[in-house]
Amino acid sequence: MIVGELDWSRCAIDSVSVRRSSTSRKTPLTMALLAEHNVTATPGRRVLEIYDADTHLGDEAAMDAAETQVVAGNGYHLYLLSLQADMKVQMTIRIWDSPPAPPAEAEGHTEVSLESETGILVIGQLDRGPADEITLPRPGVYEGHAWWQNRQAAADYYNTTLDQLTDDSPEDQLVEAWNNCPDTERYVLDFAYTREPQPVDDDDQ
């Protein structure tokens, strides 16, 4: 072998190996949607609730936090605060293996966590009573984020409608107005299962 001669076969093999490694790093990650539930509800006193079927007590501090955060909770009970109290809103609860980021067009968003011992969540309307129940894939702690759209637009329409009301307005004018809001107020909660629910002590039962 002549001194200084290159082994071209070895260089070619190393080059192929580098190209394969680069390609593998570009493989995109997938986010699987496991379940989706859509509920229509009316915010009683401007509030909607999400809680486990066995959770009966409310949390005043968490409700107060929703005044500034829009969505807030104590780990067992979530409150969603609307800016109006009479028009229906759309709520979507989605379960992912890994939740996607909130969309760029979201009006706002915040992180949320909710524990469900029964695997059944109640969608409440505060003083209007429950709107619906949904069944989770399994009991446990779910974490992710909530985001919303058209919250302010619905409030603007609501307030303008009330301002235009007169003593001579027909009795059904408000009902018709509430059913014809041009902007659907929407809340989306994207969750992923993280762990089993915390065992309940016998003293707590």
Side-chain angles (χ1 to χ4, degrees):
M1 181 176 179
I2 301 175
V3 177
E5 182 180 351
L6 294 176
D7 188 344
W8 294 107
S9 62
R10 176 175 297 178
C11 291
I13 292 174
D14 290 344
S15 177
V16 170
S17 174
V18 170
R19 286 198 296 270
R20 287 177 179 174
S21 176
S22 176
T23 301
S24 65
R25 287 197 299 269
K26 295 180 180 179
T27 302
L29 297 175
T30 59
M31 299 177 183
L33 178 61
L34 307 178
E36 179 172 339
H37 304 273
N38 293 285
V39 177
T40 300
T42 303
R45 287 162 44 197
R46 301 189 299 126
V47 176
L48 293 172
E49 306 171 274
I50 305 174
Y51 53 90
D52 182 75
D54 270 0
T55 302
H56 305 292
L57 297 178
D59 189 314
E60 188 173 343
M63 190 184 299
D64 290 342
E67 291 280 352
T68 55
Q69 298 174 212
V70 181
V71 181
N74 59 6
Y76 303 91
H77 202 136
L78 282 176
Y79 294 93
L80 296 80
L81 190 76
S82 175
L83 295 174
Q84 55 82 26
D86 294 291
M87 298 187 299
K88 295 183 182 298
V89 306
Q90 183 71 37
M91 183 186 297
T92 300
I93 297 176
R94 303 189 295 199
I95 310 300
W96 304 78
D97 58 352
S98 178
E105 63 270 19
E107 190 172 319
H109 61 86
T110 187
E111 294 183 356
V112 289
S113 176
L114 190 62
E115 181 171 338
S116 175
E117 182 182 350
T118 65
I120 299 175
L121 295 180
V122 178
I123 313 303
Q125 305 169 115
L126 209 61
D127 57 347
R128 295 176 182 265
D132 205 349
E133 290 184 353
I134 69 168
T135 301
L136 297 169
R138 55 176 166 169
V141 177
Y142 289 79
E143 297 178 343
H145 44 255
W147 54 274
W148 51 92
Q149 292 176 312
N150 295 326
R151 180 174 179 262
Q152 186 60 56
D156 293 343
Y157 173 84
Y158 181 82
N159 293 329
T160 298
T161 300
L162 291 179
D163 290 342
Q164 295 175 347
L165 196 67
T166 67
D167 294 338
D168 298 329
S169 298
E171 293 183 2
D172 60 349
Q173 179 174 325
L174 280 181
V175 175
E176 183 178 354
W178 300 156
N179 291 333
N180 290 280
C181 179
D183 300 293
T184 301
E185 185 175 353
R186 184 184 184 211
Y187 298 86
V188 180
L189 294 97
D190 287 317
F191 284 116
Y193 173 89
T194 57
R195 61 185 184 276
E196 294 183 356
Q198 184 175 349
V200 179
D201 295 335
D202 293 338
D203 294 341
D204 296 335
Q205 295 180 341

